[in-house]
Amino acid sequence: MALFSSSMRVWRSVLSFIVAGLSYGVYHSTEASHHYSHQNIHQTHSLFSNNQPYRTAFHFQPHHNWMNDPNGPMRYKGVYHMFYQHNPKGATWGNIAWGHSVSRDLVNWAPLPLALSPAESYDINGCWSGSATILHGQGHSNKPALLYTGVGPNQKQTQNLALPLNLSDPFLRDWVRSPLNPLIAPTSLTQINATSFRDPTTAWLPHDGFWRILVGSQRRDRGIALLFKSKDFVHWVKAKHPLYSAKHTGMWECPDFFPVFINSTFGVETSTLHDDHFRLKHVLKLSLIDLAQDYYLIGSYNVTRDSFIPDKGFEDTELSSILRYDYGKFYASKTFYDDSKRRRILWGWVNESSAKKDDIQKGWSGIQAIPRSVWLHKSGKQLVQWPIKEIEKLRSKNPLTWRSKVLEAGSLLHLPGVTAAQADVEVTFKVNELAEKAKELKQIGGKRKVTDPRSLCGEKGGIGPFGLLVLASKGLQEHTSVFFKVFKLKIDHNTTKLVVVMCSDQSRSSLNHENDLSSYGAFLDVDPLHQNLSLRSLIDHSVVESFGGKGKVCITARVYPTLAINDEAHLFVFNDASSNLNVTTLTAWSMKKARVNSIN
Ligand code: DQQ
């Protein structure tokens, strides 16, 4: 702690800054753009010979150049495949092709040649997002098929099929387009907007023998998940009604639709509609282009009517109450079913928060979040996500471990012996009766209704903030703060309720203010009186992925410290509640580097 005695002096001002920064809502819009206009070609900056403080050590990213959406994830002949939207010619969006990598453990990845790149008139302006389906039934035995959006002249979007050239190659190196492409094209008859028609889902096959897929679309400001059916996977017919649509949500990109078990953490194969042991619900995920945010609905799928009825839909509530996989930077996500471990795995694109010129300078842009197992919480009200178990093999053998330690009010404790720029930290706080002291925020009869949790991150009073200070410089000029706060909300004249917010504050993450320093926050559905508050953060140079309440809330942030890089980065746990708190457990691991798409 000696090293940080001067840090303690600045600690108070740091905390007041956390609060000030959040309450003024430092929500910038700088981020790597992926708007569909120009074809970017840049000379890639000489990589890895120079300074690369923001290169990640265990997140998926291509060797160089641009990446956005995850495409067609699957497991075939014991090999995991990851395709991704890629600009092979530059570090910004353009020339979109399908990059391809393979792995046996979802942690270490080997790069392969592009799986698809613009070649035919219908995809000459880009091979955009799509999904993999492992064809089964009807004479197929485990044959992978890729459906993707081709962008042709005038940005016309069509849905296309590609199949492996050689099914005995577990790496599926070569893909052949169907001679019948485009399989689904917008026509005046179908009333589909030709420039808003993209991102086919993984197909599912109910007992009636008709494959189904969804394609994202929009009509005026109504987001639409169009439904198509096919007997042979080649001839597709639009269903009379979309599976689901909602006003005022804009274009829906990258829909995803899958079943989940009620009361089990196992994943469910995408075509399964009934199970002898567990009942099922369905999840529909939509990527809202206007917000660059992924929202999901839990509901019931009726296969005879081909309808999806969400338990709580966009029409029933305001957008801020619709569930999100991640309340930070996370978009265009996609799941797949991993039959080897009976789990459903979620991939999501984490964009840069830096200026375009910096992306060009560093020669790359875009990472994927650590793949997460996803299942329905036992309450049935939300999903739970947790980093895949395999990532734990990168943890060092000798973590820093605390058991039951008092964290005094106003304290900031350094966590020594951990490579703070490349770490995995799990901490659990016991709040209990302290929560009763939380400030009461009046909702009813008061001046406002608290709907945006981000506004509470910066609110004075309440219990907290307490949490982790990550990627912090020695003098704390730079740090990213991931924390909880507990408030008492007056619901009506007789009822008060304790609410927990989880926040990730990037306002002081970098001295370079050209970066997007937006802060994020979300309500965490945990009862602080009876349950401990747990937080896990995966820290990897320029990304902080945090999981609150054992995966009930996830927040991912991109940060670009100028001082707190590599060995100059530090890690702290802090408590700015007015009373002492108990840390019941804390474990902090240094993380090893994974082999991700290295080419030597
Ligand atoms: N990215 C792709 C589109 C998709 C968008 C283009 C989502 O297919 O709608 O690169 O980020």
Side-chain angles (χ1 to χ4, degrees):
M1 199 59 198
L3 181 62
F4 295 100
S5 51
S6 62
S7 305
M8 278 307 283
R9 260 179 273 126
V10 283
W11 171 230
R12 284 281 149 193
S13 65
V14 167
L15 282 170
S16 52
F17 199 95
I18 291 175
V19 170
L22 282 160
S23 50
Y24 288 113
V26 200
Y27 304 130
H28 298 284
S29 60
T30 311
E31 67 171 36
S33 159
H34 73 295
H35 285 293
Y36 314 122
S37 47
H38 36 71
Q39 305 284 296
N40 299 299
I41 304 180
H42 307 287
Q43 200 52 51
T44 300
H45 202 264
S46 54
L47 270 177
F48 313 116
S49 53
N50 63 353
N51 212 359
Q52 282 283 345
Y54 307 130
R55 186 83 189 171
T56 64
F58 56 91
H59 279 74
F60 182 94
Q61 55 182 124
H63 181 263
H64 58 279
N65 285 337
W66 167 272
M67 172 178 67
N68 54 300
D69 319 350
N71 290 155
M74 67 171 150
R75 185 171 174 277
Y76 179 70
K77 289 191 188 290
V79 176
Y80 291 104
H81 290 255
M82 175 65 177
F83 304 89
Y84 54 89
Q85 293 281 282
H86 183 45
N87 180 357
K89 298 183 183 158
T92 55
W93 187 89
N95 315 299
I96 289 297
W98 278 43
H100 186 191
S101 297
V102 285
S103 169
R104 293 210 181 260
D105 61 4
L106 291 166
V107 174
N108 298 288
W109 292 89
L112 291 178
L114 296 175
L116 295 167
S117 44
E120 301 291 334
S121 59
Y122 55 79
D123 63 17
I124 202 67
N125 285 323
C127 299
W128 284 16
S129 282
S131 308
T133 302
I134 310 272
L135 300 179
H136 55 275
Q138 297 167 340
H140 298 292
S141 63
N142 296 333
K143 185 174 170 186
L146 301 179
L147 288 171
Y148 71 98
T149 298
V151 182
N154 303 319
Q155 298 304 301
K156 183 178 172 187
Q157 296 164 16
T158 57
Q159 314 317 321
N160 301 284
L161 173 67
L163 297 169
L165 179 66
N166 176 6
L167 280 172
S168 59
D169 171 17
F171 297 142
L172 300 171
R173 270 171 275 228
D174 298 298
W175 291 85
V176 185
R177 288 165 168 82
S178 165
L180 295 176
N181 282 347
L183 302 188
I184 316 178
T187 62
S188 50
L189 276 182
T190 50
Q191 288 193 313
I192 297 169
N193 178 348
T195 56
S196 303
F197 179 50
R198 54 182 178 269
D199 310 336
T201 58
T202 295
W204 68 98
L205 180 67
H207 290 304
D208 63 8
F210 281 90
W211 287 99
R212 274 123 166 121
I213 55 166
L214 301 179
V215 180
S217 188
Q218 99 189 102
R219 193 167 302 140
R220 288 184 285 277
D221 73 346
R222 176 179 284 275
I224 307 178
L226 293 168
L227 179 70
F228 290 86
K229 294 196 207 184
S230 171
K231 199 88 200 149
D232 59 4
F233 218 80
V234 175
H235 299 92
W236 292 87
V237 175
K238 185 158 87 72
K240 204 160 161 211
H241 303 289
L243 184 82
Y244 183 68
S245 74
K247 278 191 283 194
H248 313 312
T249 51
M251 174 66 191
W252 288 354
E253 300 189 303
C254 302
D256 194 22
F257 187 57
F258 56 91
V260 283
F261 283 132
I262 298 176
N263 265 322
S264 167
T265 59
F266 283 126
V268 190
E269 204 281 322
T270 311
S271 287
T272 307
L273 297 176
H274 298 284
D275 182 86
D276 291 342
H277 302 287
F278 297 105
R279 286 193 304 126
L280 299 175
K281 294 287 266 191
H282 268 78
V283 174
L284 175 64
K285 186 278 303 185
L286 306 155
S287 300
L288 271 50
I289 192 173
D290 294 345
L291 299 167
Q293 290 171 349
D294 282 8
Y295 289 81
Y296 69 85
L297 309 170
I298 301 168
S300 307
Y301 170 49
N302 180 319
V303 66
T304 322
R305 291 203 198 122
D306 266 322
S307 68
F308 172 74
I309 314 280
D311 298 346
K312 187 163 96 175
F314 288 105
E315 257 100 14
D316 306 327
T317 179
E318 54 218 300
L319 193 60
S320 60
S321 319
I322 301 286
L323 294 158
R324 288 168 59 188
Y325 283 140
D326 193 300
Y327 293 82
K329 200 156 264 191
F330 187 92
Y331 190 62
S333 61
K334 192 176 291 294
T335 62
F336 76 103
Y337 177 66
D338 176 6
D339 56 351
S340 68
K341 298 213 162 78
R342 290 188 67 194
R343 58 186 173 174
R344 184 160 285 273
I345 293 180
L346 169 70
W347 283 102
W349 167 43
V350 186
N351 199 352
E352 302 298 315
S353 295
S354 45
K356 207 171 184 171
K357 68 172 173 36
D358 293 343
D359 300 336
I360 295 169
Q361 161 74 21
K362 70 188 195 303
W364 57 271
S365 180
I367 63 171
Q368 301 295 329
I370 297 297
R372 304 171 180 173
S373 290
V374 49
W375 64 90
L376 185 66
H377 186 262
K378 57 180 184 305
S379 66
K381 286 201 233 146
Q382 66 161 108
L383 297 174
V384 185
Q385 300 157 71
W386 199 246
I388 47 147
K389 183 94 186 124
E390 289 88 331
I391 204 73
E392 295 173 18
K393 71 179 176 193
L394 298 176
R395 288 170 165 178
S396 61
K397 290 258 164 358
N398 302 307
L400 171 78
T401 311
W402 293 354
R403 293 282 171 268
S404 191
K405 193 170 178 110
V406 174
L407 204 55
E408 283 173 13
S411 64
L412 169 74
L413 299 185
H414 181 230
L415 302 178
V418 181
T419 56
Q422 211 173 292
D424 185 359
V425 192
E426 289 194 51
V427 57
T428 307
F429 300 94
K430 189 171 170 188
V431 185
N432 292 14
E433 52 288 350
L434 188 61
E436 290 288 19
K437 292 194 196 160
K439 173 181 166 182
E440 188 175 295
L441 291 177
K442 290 195 178 58
Q443 293 212 86
I444 302 289
K447 287 196 196 100
R448 61 181 182 156
K449 187 163 171 9
V450 181
T451 52
D452 184 356
R454 288 182 309 179
S455 68
L456 288 181
C457 294
E459 180 83 34
K460 290 223 174 76
I463 303 295
F466 53 91
L468 296 170
L469 217 60
V470 310
L471 293 171
S473 60
K474 189 174 160 189
L476 298 182
Q477 304 93 322
E478 288 182 333
H479 57 263
T480 295
S481 173
V482 189
F483 60 87
F484 298 114
K485 288 190 95 168
V486 182
F487 291 93
K488 202 179 279 174
L489 281 193
K490 195 163 178 70
I491 306 294
D492 56 35
H493 295 298
N494 306 319
T495 334
T496 56
K497 187 182 159 209
L498 287 173
V499 294
V500 179
V501 285
M502 173 173 154
C503 309
S504 183
D505 176 7
Q506 283 67 246
S507 58
R508 298 198 71 184
S509 60
S510 176
L511 293 181
N512 177 358
H513 286 205
E514 281 178 0
N515 296 317
D516 171 6
L517 302 177
S518 295
S519 291
Y520 311 115
F523 290 114
L524 174 62
D525 186 14
V526 167
D527 170 9
L529 269 186
H530 302 103
Q531 287 165 281
N532 291 339
L533 294 180
S534 73
L535 174 64
R536 176 176 181 189
S537 288
L538 284 161
I539 304 151
D540 193 4
H541 298 271
S542 62
V543 58
V544 182
E545 257 182 274
S546 301
F547 300 81
K550 301 195 177 111
K552 280 181 145 183
V553 165
C554 309
I555 304 183
T556 299
R558 295 302 305 275
V559 291
Y560 308 89
T562 59
L563 306 170
I565 57 176
N566 299 324
D567 294 345
E568 297 302 317
H570 300 282
L571 177 63
F572 300 85
V573 61
F574 72 90
N575 171 22
D576 196 41
S578 51
S579 315
N580 297 352
L581 281 178
N582 203 286
V583 169
T584 49
T585 62
L586 181 148
T587 315
W589 293 266
S590 296
M591 289 289 269
K592 284 175 263 180
K593 193 173 177 338
R595 265 188 91 79
V596 180
N597 294 323
S598 36
I599 48 182
N600 45 21

